[in-house]
Amino acid sequence: MNLPRCAVLDDYQGVALSSADWSPLAGRVEVRVLREHLTDRDALVAAVEDCEFLVVMRERTPVDAVLLDRLPRLRLIVTSGLRNASVDVAAARARGITVCGTASSSEPPTELTWALLLGLARHVTTEARALREGGPWQSTVGADLAGRTLGLVGLGKIGGRVARIGLAFGMDVQAWSPNLTEERAAEHGVRLAKDRRELLGSSDFVSLHLVLSDRTRGLIGEPELRAMRPSAYLVNTSRAGLVDGGALLRALREGWIAGAGLDVFETEPLPADDPLRTLPNVLALPHLGYVTEGNYGRYFGQAVEDIEAYLAGTPVRELS
């Protein structure tokens, strides 16, 4: 008997099968895992063209109409999270392909936002490297958080959590987003900035927490970066497209801002020769915001549930 085949893409750490119980699919679905990120479309098609099911992790591999046309056997796409801009859901539905998602927790990206912010403020990588390599004992002076201003661009589920932690540190927290009201800001105990330029110009730390859309792409460009203080830091754990990448490079090289903490990039994995890998005032991580044991358990556990439900003819968590 020929079983339907399922490919799990981009399992960088090799933990997809150990993060959840896949036994409900035993004898019903043939599951294979691809650890290597395949940027070449021909190689990707060759690897999965015999599959009826795909499990994709966040935006690691875009699944657009052109790719779908080359995968005529495909019947189900499962993505981690309930929103994935890199999956063309409309194109999938037009081809009779079901797209389902999973739950995702907002705690992990909140925690990583603070890992980056604290790492920048206290020059953690510089001092840790010096200690490990026998360098100078205390070569930097850290920035205080208490009494400083934290500016949040976006005050949704993650931004609201970041705000509460900032308040716990004794920071003055302000927020702005296109639709944010004074009442909503007050519910989180923060004040509403008049506009994004005012927020950027009056904050010591700026953290981005908006959904990427046509409306928000490039929201932080050269004028906004120049409005920031030379002592200020920018943290982006949301989406790289919120910031004009060329302007950010100039800002970091020319000292418009003190530094940036980045977990998201226009091209991922980040090319080996990208200057963001070597700029001394950048603390960069390889998109780890959602990468935790708890989230992986949700993603892959519910991926199994999604496949089971599809096989039963009753898909769950369908995206539209």
Side-chain angles (χ1 to χ4, degrees):
M1 179 178 65
N2 293 324
L3 299 178
R5 299 177 178 91
C6 173
V8 181
L9 302 185
D10 299 307
D11 181 18
Y12 295 157
Q13 302 98 336
V15 296
L17 298 184
S18 62
S19 293
D21 179 11
W22 291 77
S23 64
L25 302 182
R28 304 170 67 194
V29 178
E30 179 184 311
V31 179
R32 74 174 70 125
V33 173
L34 281 67
R35 292 194 59 180
E36 180 184 357
H37 176 67
L38 299 175
T39 56
D40 181 85
R41 279 297 179 93
D42 291 337
L44 176 60
V45 169
V48 303
E49 62 185 344
D50 63 336
C51 292
E52 287 81 8
F53 309 146
L54 282 184
V55 176
V56 300
M57 176 61 75
R58 308 306 301 143
E59 291 90 10
R60 292 177 182 177
T61 293
V63 182
D64 55 24
V66 175
L67 179 62
L68 292 173
D69 283 338
R70 299 183 65 184
L71 301 175
R73 295 177 62 93
L74 192 60
R75 293 293 174 263
L76 171 68
I77 300 169
V78 178
T79 174
S80 59
L82 293 172
R83 180 175 57 227
N84 188 335
S86 73
V87 174
D88 190 333
V89 177
R93 290 169 66 89
R95 290 158 177 78
I97 301 168
T98 301
V99 183
C100 297
T102 74
S104 183
S105 173
S106 59
E107 283 91 348
T110 300
E111 294 165 1
L112 194 83
T113 295
W114 280 100
L116 287 171
L117 196 152
L118 288 164
L120 287 167
R122 300 304 294 268
H123 308 286
V124 167
T125 54
T126 298
E127 296 291 1
R129 186 182 303 112
L131 184 67
R132 182 181 295 273
E133 298 175 356
W137 184 263
Q138 295 186 3
S139 63
T140 64
V141 178
D144 296 282
L145 297 188
R148 297 293 179 90
T149 299
L150 171 63
L152 301 176
V153 180
L155 196 63
K157 193 175 294 185
I158 296 174
R161 291 181 180 277
V162 172
R164 290 199 292 275
I165 296 170
L167 292 169
F169 273 116
M171 302 184 78
D172 170 31
V173 183
Q174 60 177 336
W176 174 89
S177 71
N179 299 314
L180 185 62
T181 64
E182 286 189 13
E183 293 75 18
R184 178 65 175 160
E187 288 175 9
H188 289 277
V190 308
R191 56 189 175 84
L192 175 67
K194 181 177 65 176
D195 53 42
R196 69 177 183 271
R197 198 75 64 85
E198 178 189 76
L199 179 140
L200 292 164
S202 59
S203 296
D204 299 293
F205 299 89
V206 175
S207 189
L208 308 183
H209 301 287
L210 289 176
V211 173
L212 182 63
S213 66
D214 291 340
R215 186 180 180 189
T216 60
R217 182 174 292 279
L219 190 73
I220 309 298
E222 179 169 335
E224 289 74 26
L225 291 166
R226 286 192 180 275
M228 292 178 65
R229 299 170 177 175
S231 59
Y233 294 95
L234 177 71
V235 175
N236 189 3
T237 56
S238 185
R239 289 294 180 268
L242 297 172
V243 183
D244 179 327
L248 178 60
L249 275 178
R250 291 194 297 277
L252 293 165
R253 284 169 167 163
E254 298 175 17
W256 308 351
I257 61 176
L262 306 173
D263 189 47
V264 288
F265 310 92
E266 284 286 6
T267 300
E268 296 184 6
L270 191 64
D273 61 351
D274 194 293
L276 290 174
R277 287 183 177 268
T278 57
L279 285 174
N281 54 351
V282 172
L283 174 54
L285 296 174
H287 206 157
L288 297 177
Y290 58 92
V291 181
T292 66
E293 294 172 352
N295 254 353
Y296 270 29
R298 291 181 195 90
Y299 292 164
F300 294 116
Q302 292 188 13
V304 173
E305 293 174 4
D306 288 349
I307 295 170
E308 280 192 286
Y310 179 84
L311 290 171
T314 55
V316 295
R317 292 184 285 267
E318 280 192 76
L319 306 189
S320 58

